[in-house]
Amino acid sequence: MASAPAQQPTLTVEQARVVLGEVIQAFSVPENAARMEEARESACNDMGKMLQLVLPVATQIQQEVIKAYGFNNEGEGVLKFARLVKMYETQDPEIAAMSVKLKSLLLPPLSTPPIGSGIPTS
């Protein structure tokens, strides 16, 4: 017989809001901000290097927060938390806004094409 799967952490909308807030705050802790900045500088805005250098640091920072809420201390816990947040985004505008803020902390700013070079407007 297969063993029972590990119990999934469950959070209410309110709890998810609190945890998401703590995760966002964790990125502003000076030590974490310095770690992220160092990883970003090393990646030089190269998306492949961002995945290799920035993503692991960001994952560690998130893990430090979410493990206190029952998520495992591996990348899988961060993925489960991200799925939970994604689910609540459609139900709660505050979580949706916080999720956008978290993504902006993780992803480099995208360069946009110059105005007027591309799709004509009607």
Side-chain angles (χ1 to χ4, degrees), residues 43-108:
C44 300
N45 244 5
D46 176 288
M47 189 51 78
K49 288 183 180 177
M50 293 293 267
L51 292 172
Q52 292 175 338
L53 302 172
V54 178
L55 191 59
V57 173
T59 300
Q60 289 172 352
I61 293 169
Q62 290 180 74
Q63 286 170 340
E64 292 166 10
V65 174
I66 66 173
K67 69 182 179 185
Y69 295 91
F71 293 89
N72 76 24
N73 199 21
E74 296 173 13
E76 183 184 336
V78 172
L79 291 173
K80 287 179 181 175
F81 178 66
R83 280 193 290 264
L84 188 72
V85 168
K86 184 91 174 143
M87 180 183 76
Y88 283 142
E89 281 178 0
T90 59
Q91 301 172 26
D92 187 88
E94 190 175 343
I95 287 180
M98 293 169 85
S99 180
V100 168
K101 181 171 183 164
L102 179 59
K103 288 174 189 165
S104 75
L105 295 170
L106 304 177
L107 300 173

